[in-house]
Amino acid sequence: MDQGSSADIMFWMTFNKLQLSPDQIRPYTRCLYGLARDQVEVRGHIELRTTFSDGMTSRTTSIKYLVVNAPSAYNILLGTPTLNRIGAVASTRPMKMKLPSLEGTVITIKSDQREAKKCYENSLKTKRGVFAVTTQPPREEGITRAEIAREKRPEPAGGVVEREIGGKMFKLGQSLSQESQDQVAEVIARHLDAFAWFASDMSGIDPVRQRRRKFNEERRQVVREETEKLLKVGHIREIQYPEWLANVVLVKKANGKWRMCVDFTDLNKVCPKDSYPLPSIDALVDSVCGCRLLNFLNAFSSYNQIMMHPRDECKTAFMTELSCYCYKVMPFGLKNAGATYQRLMDIVLAPILGRNVQAYVDDMVVTSQQKEQHVADLEKLFTTIAKYRLKLNPEKCVFGLRQASSWVSYSLNVG
């Protein structure tokens, strides 16, 4: 029991001991942090029926555990979500927990002193223990974080008074004397440029409209065809009065076809970098070497399978000779597109990733240690990606190879 934890935790070691199926794990998109504010790896969440009993009376309830891959001397941590929901009261000194049963009686659960001491000693030996955690919403839910921050913001004890300075309203402490208020107002008036009332007041992120580039007839035809194709599948939409506007760029792919991208150079300059880690190439290659059979898969228009946030669609605007459009899906060329897609793959493939499937951005390889397991391994992958409607590119998929010329620029030989 951890009354300082905002989540119910099951450690990966416990999950394996219970011999639970990874198929029961569901994706978890939020972030989990320990006491040291370091991010903890979450494999997903699983809902299990848990029974509390004192030997005479019992109560069974469904608990959603976060499956955490971190060393710990404990098997599970029951945090405030469950303790509050079941009405449990814990007392640390006698090491007891009481909770009401469904029949109205009181269930008293006693802790074993020796076992508690043993867990404590083991926790001291653990280099990276997780004793309390807090959950935070994903980065795109910034509004929620701001609301939480405002709720916890302390209010001035002496009250405030509003005063107009330079045509704008500011709040000054009511306890200040008139002379002190005048002095503070003078300082603020000299530095009005330090404040921002609107997003347009932010320096360094002024929207950029690029000058239109000219293409020859061949490339103009390619742009027209690609634009019509994107409109037909609903990947882009027409936009009017865009603040950000970029040119299209045509890149010839290895198969001779053209790929239409957008020059997001100016937009990428003002975007913060997403430092989500990409897998180690060496580790991935080592993990697939020595397998009996290999299957190489590639996602179809990988980045386009992720939707853009509606309020950010206008920032992806680009111009053609006919009109201006913006993306409704994540386009190629964005600064954090690779990190975003890798995060998606880690979530989608969580139940099988690292076992018989490896993924590097949109490249995947399914390995089989035994020929008899080959079909079952493929079936497992297709079942997993079907849950998220992830689509593959048949032109770039090869199945049942004993040797592959390259995967992410490495030559692989099957043992």
Side-chain angles (χ1 to χ4, degrees):
M1 295 170 293
D2 189 344
Q3 295 171 300
S5 174
S6 63
D8 301 309
I9 304 297
M10 174 180 291
F11 295 96
W12 184 246
M13 178 181 62
T14 307
F15 181 86
N16 291 329
K17 287 182 179 180
L18 293 175
Q19 298 181 346
L20 299 172
S21 172
D23 292 339
Q24 295 179 263
I25 298 179
R26 296 292 177 263
Y28 183 78
T29 59
R30 301 164 75 87
C31 301
L32 197 65
Y33 294 88
L35 284 177
R37 305 304 298 165
D38 54 332
Q39 189 167 345
V40 182
E41 180 186 354
V42 181
R43 295 290 182 92
H45 70 83
I46 184 172
E47 191 164 346
L48 298 174
R49 291 181 61 81
T50 306
T51 300
F52 299 87
S53 175
D54 58 2
M56 299 182 64
T57 311
S58 63
R59 174 178 175 179
T60 301
T61 185
S62 182
I63 299 178
K64 185 173 78 171
Y65 296 97
L66 297 185
V67 182
V68 172
N69 185 19
S72 176
Y74 306 99
N75 295 317
I76 62 173
L77 290 179
L78 290 181
T80 53
T82 295
L83 295 178
N84 292 338
R85 181 162 54 86
I86 65 177
V89 177
S91 181
T92 56
R93 187 166 184 177
M95 301 187 69
K96 294 181 181 179
M97 182 181 74
K98 294 185 177 182
L99 66 151
S101 67
L102 299 180
E103 293 77 17
T105 59
V106 177
I107 302 174
T108 302
I109 300 177
K110 301 178 182 179
S111 175
D112 186 279
Q113 295 281 352
R114 293 183 180 179
E115 191 66 24
K117 184 177 181 181
K118 183 179 178 180
C119 288
Y120 175 71
E121 291 175 350
N122 290 337
S123 66
L124 296 178
K125 299 176 184 178
T126 304
K127 294 182 179 180
R128 181 171 165 256
V130 181
F131 303 101
V133 294
T134 56
T135 56
Q136 292 187 6
R139 184 172 298 177
E140 58 267 24
E141 295 182 10
I143 297 178
T144 303
R145 291 188 181 183
E147 290 175 352
I148 296 174
R150 283 196 295 268
E151 290 177 359
K152 296 181 178 180
R153 186 175 298 167
E155 295 293 334
V160 296
V161 293
E162 291 190 351
R163 177 166 175 171
E164 183 177 350
I165 304 174
K168 302 293 183 180
M169 298 303 296
F170 290 87
K171 297 177 181 180
L172 304 181
Q174 195 174 23
S175 59
L176 291 177
S177 63
Q178 187 61 42
E179 182 181 0
S180 297
Q181 291 185 17
D182 295 338
Q183 293 174 348
V184 173
E186 291 177 4
V187 174
I188 294 176
R190 291 196 299 267
H191 300 280
L192 286 176
D193 57 350
F195 301 90
W197 286 266
F198 306 98
S200 57
D201 297 332
M202 298 289 290
S203 60
I205 57 172
D206 295 328
V208 177
R209 298 181 182 90
Q210 298 178 0
R211 294 183 60 182
R212 180 180 170 185
R213 301 173 189 169
K214 297 181 179 180
F215 296 104
N216 57 32
E217 181 56 32
E218 177 190 359
R219 299 198 174 193
R220 284 201 300 270
Q221 182 63 28
V222 172
V223 172
R224 284 195 292 267
E225 293 175 355
E226 290 296 317
T227 303
E228 291 176 2
K229 190 186 303 181
L230 292 172
L231 278 171
K232 187 176 181 179
V233 298
H235 285 181
I236 61 174
R237 63 176 175 88
E238 193 170 356
I239 186 174
Q240 296 180 347
Y241 311 112
E243 294 185 348
W244 291 89
L245 192 59
N247 283 282
V248 297
V249 179
L250 294 178
V251 180
K252 185 162 275 189
K253 298 188 287 187
N255 58 6
K257 296 181 180 180
W258 288 99
R259 170 180 288 167
M260 188 180 77
C261 301
V262 180
D263 182 10
F264 289 121
T265 303
D266 298 306
L267 181 63
N268 287 338
K269 287 180 181 179
V270 300
C271 290
K273 181 176 176 57
D274 184 355
S275 299
Y276 188 83
L278 296 178
S280 169
I281 295 292
D282 294 335
L284 292 180
V285 172
D286 291 342
S287 65
V288 303
C289 290
C291 297
R292 293 286 182 181
L293 291 172
L294 302 174
N295 305 276
F296 294 90
L297 311 175
N298 187 273
F300 184 84
S301 297
S302 52
Y303 295 173
N304 294 161
Q305 298 194 46
I306 299 179
M307 300 298 295
M308 288 290 298
H309 195 288
R311 68 184 179 193
D312 290 328
E313 290 179 0
C314 58
K315 298 182 179 67
T316 64
F318 63 93
M319 68 185 88
T320 69
E321 62 178 358
L322 300 177
S323 184
C324 295
Y325 305 90
C326 68
Y327 276 90
K328 298 166 65 177
V329 297
M330 186 173 70
F332 291 85
L334 289 181
K335 183 177 186 177
N336 298 315
T340 301
Y341 196 84
Q342 183 65 54
R343 182 185 285 108
L344 169 71
M345 297 302 292
D346 290 345
I347 295 173
V348 171
L349 302 175
I352 55 178
L353 194 64
R355 301 176 63 177
N356 63 329
V357 175
Q358 302 294 344
Y360 187 86
V361 192
D362 59 347
D363 290 303
M364 293 168 281
V365 58
V366 182
T367 62
S368 298
Q369 297 291 344
Q370 302 295 332
K371 293 182 180 179
E372 296 78 9
Q373 291 291 325
H374 182 228
V375 175
D377 292 336
L378 279 177
E379 185 68 30
K380 187 69 175 177
L381 172 78
F382 285 123
T383 303
T384 302
I385 64 176
K387 296 178 182 178
Y388 299 90
R389 294 183 294 178
L390 182 68
K391 301 300 181 182
L392 303 177
N393 187 351
E395 294 184 2
K396 296 183 180 180
C397 296
V398 185
F399 302 91
L401 292 181
R402 291 184 55 83
Q403 179 177 353
S405 59
S406 66
W407 181 57
V408 288
S409 302
Y410 279 79
S411 179
L412 303 178
N413 293 315
V414 180

